[in-house]
Amino acid sequence: MEDINSLLKENHLIYKSVSTEKGSVSYFETDNNREYKTTLLLMHGFGATGLDYLPIIKLLQDQFHIISIELPERGESKLIGTNDFSPTSIATWVKAFVTTIQLEKFHLIGHSIAAHYGLAYAKEFSVESLILLDGGYLVPGDFEGYSLEKELNDTRKFIQSLKYDSEKALIAALTEQGNSATQNIIDRRLFKIEDNALVFTLSEDIAVQMTKDVAKYPDYEVIKNINNEIYIIRCDLPKEVNPIRDLGINKFLKAKEAKITVLENSNHSLYHSKSKEVSELISAWIQQNRH
C-alpha cells in the first residue's frame, strides 16, 4: 500500500524543513539540480499543504526545479512570536526562507489566499515573475450579502467540522468526497492528533486570524507598486460568479497591467481539475519571461 514516503520517491520529491529567523518552513523539492533549471516557488491555499500541488509538479518537474512550501501551521511550518498572518508578514517569512536556502531567482506561484501573499512578496522583494492561480483579484465585498462577521463565523464552523475520532473515519470521509488513494495521503497532512482525535492543522483562532488578515485585500496600493510581470489564471465555475470575477479583474487591471487567462470549465482548484492545461500555461509563460 502506498504511503507518503513511497509517494515522494515515486514522484522524485524530497521533503525538507529549515529554521529561519522568522520561523520554521517545511517544503517539498524536486530532486533535479536547481543550478541548471529555472525555479518555481509554489505557495498553496488555505485548505491545502505543499504536497497538494503534486498534479502540476508531476507535469512540470522535467522542465523546472520546483519548491512547494508549506504555509504556517501546515507541516512543520511556524511563524515565530507573532499572531500576524497578514500578507506582509507571510512575505517576510517567505523571504527569510529564500535567504536561508540561498535561492536567488525564481518565479512565484500562489493559489487562492496565497496570491495575496505573492503580491505582497513581489512588491517588497525580487521575483522573476508572479503567477496567481485563481486568487488575488476577488473582492469579498462585491458578493451580495457579504459581511466579515459572517465569513469569520463560517470559518469557525468549517474548522469545527473537521474533526474525526479515528484514522479510519477520516479516510472514509475523504474517500466519500471522491478522493483517490493518493489524494487521501496528501490530505492526511492537513490533520493532526489532538485529544485523541484528528483535527485540522489550523486551530479556530489561527484560521480566523488568517481570514481577518486578508479582509481588506486586494490592496491596490500594493498591486500598482509591483514592478514584475503578473499572470492570472482564473476559473469560470460556478458560472453565476463570473460577473463578480470580471468586476474584480477589471479593478485589478486599473491598478496594474497583467495577463489574464480564463480557463474554461475549471473550478477554484484548477491546478487539480485542469492540471494539464495549467501546467502548459505556466510553462509557456515562463518561456516568454525568461531573464
Side-chain angles (χ1 to χ4, degrees):
M1 184 176 179
E2 191 175 49
D3 60 15
I4 190 165
N5 291 325
S6 60
L7 184 65
L8 295 181
K9 184 176 180 181
E10 174 189 330
N11 290 284
H12 307 285
L13 288 171
I14 304 169
Y15 177 71
K16 300 179 180 181
S17 64
V18 296
S19 296
T20 81
E21 63 178 2
K22 296 295 182 181
S24 56
V25 182
S26 53
Y27 61 103
F28 298 91
E29 182 174 12
T30 50
D31 62 8
N32 47 27
N33 194 323
R34 79 186 197 194
E35 292 181 12
Y36 300 101
K37 290 182 178 287
T38 299
T39 297
L40 309 181
L41 181 61
L42 314 181
M43 296 191 296
H44 61 77
F46 186 87
T49 70
L51 197 53
D52 203 56
Y53 272 117
L54 185 60
I56 63 171
I57 291 174
K58 292 167 72 169
L59 294 169
L60 290 170
Q61 64 182 350
D62 287 342
Q63 302 174 61
F64 305 106
H65 167 246
I66 302 172
I67 294 175
S68 184
I69 68 172
E70 302 198 288
L71 294 173
E73 302 301 318
R74 268 58 63 96
E76 297 174 64
S77 294
K78 294 280 185 183
L79 275 169
I80 288 178
T82 180
N83 195 37
D84 176 6
F85 295 94
S86 66
T88 298
S89 179
I90 300 295
T92 304
W93 174 80
V94 173
K95 176 59 176 176
F97 164 71
V98 165
T99 301
T100 299
I101 67 166
Q102 299 180 321
L103 182 62
E104 295 180 358
K105 297 174 65 176
F106 57 91
H107 295 264
L108 186 57
I109 301 176
H111 173 247
S112 193
I113 193 174
H116 296 307
Y117 306 154
L119 289 162
Y121 188 97
K123 176 183 178 292
E124 297 296 333
F125 309 112
S126 174
V127 295
E128 297 291 284
S129 77
L130 183 61
I131 301 172
L132 310 181
L133 300 180
D134 205 45
Y137 68 92
L138 278 176
V139 182
D142 287 340
F143 287 86
E144 185 177 353
Y146 171 83
S147 74
L148 179 58
E149 182 180 5
K150 181 180 183 303
E151 185 177 13
L152 298 181
N153 285 335
D154 288 346
T155 299
R156 285 195 179 278
K157 290 176 183 177
F158 173 68
I159 299 300
Q160 290 167 6
S161 72
L162 298 172
K163 186 174 183 177
Y164 301 90
D165 58 13
S166 69
E167 192 88 21
K168 184 178 179 180
L170 169 61
I171 298 302
L174 293 174
T175 302
E176 189 176 334
Q177 294 171 13
N179 270 15
S180 64
T182 296
Q183 192 61 43
N184 280 349
I185 293 171
I186 294 170
D187 286 352
R188 174 62 183 83
R189 288 182 55 74
L190 286 167
F191 294 85
K192 61 184 178 180
I193 297 174
E194 190 174 274
D195 296 329
N196 295 317
L198 288 162
V199 298
F200 200 57
T201 55
L202 297 181
S203 68
E204 280 184 51
D205 289 343
I206 288 177
V208 165
Q209 189 62 46
M210 286 181 170
T211 304
K212 280 182 180 178
D213 285 344
V214 294
K216 295 181 180 179
Y217 286 77
D219 185 330
Y220 299 111
E221 288 301 311
V222 167
I223 292 168
K224 75 180 184 181
N225 284 296
I226 294 173
N227 295 321
N228 300 93
E229 298 292 325
I230 297 176
Y231 184 24
I232 299 175
I233 306 173
R234 77 159 180 85
C235 69
D236 71 343
L237 296 177
K239 298 289 187 182
E240 57 267 25
V241 180
N242 282 333
I244 298 173
R245 293 188 181 107
D246 291 337
L247 183 61
I249 289 291
N250 288 336
K251 290 178 179 179
F252 190 103
L253 293 176
K254 287 179 180 178
K256 168 72 177 177
E257 182 180 351
K259 179 178 179 180
I260 313 294
T261 294
V262 179
L263 199 54
E264 292 187 2
N265 299 315
S266 65
N267 57 30
H268 183 54
S269 296
L270 69 182
Y271 60 92
H272 275 233
S273 61
K274 297 287 184 177
S275 57
K276 181 175 182 293
E277 293 88 341
V278 170
S279 298
E280 289 173 348
L281 290 170
I282 290 173
S283 180
W285 169 261
I286 300 297
Q287 294 298 327
Q288 294 169 10
N289 287 276
R290 288 192 184 277
H291 298 287

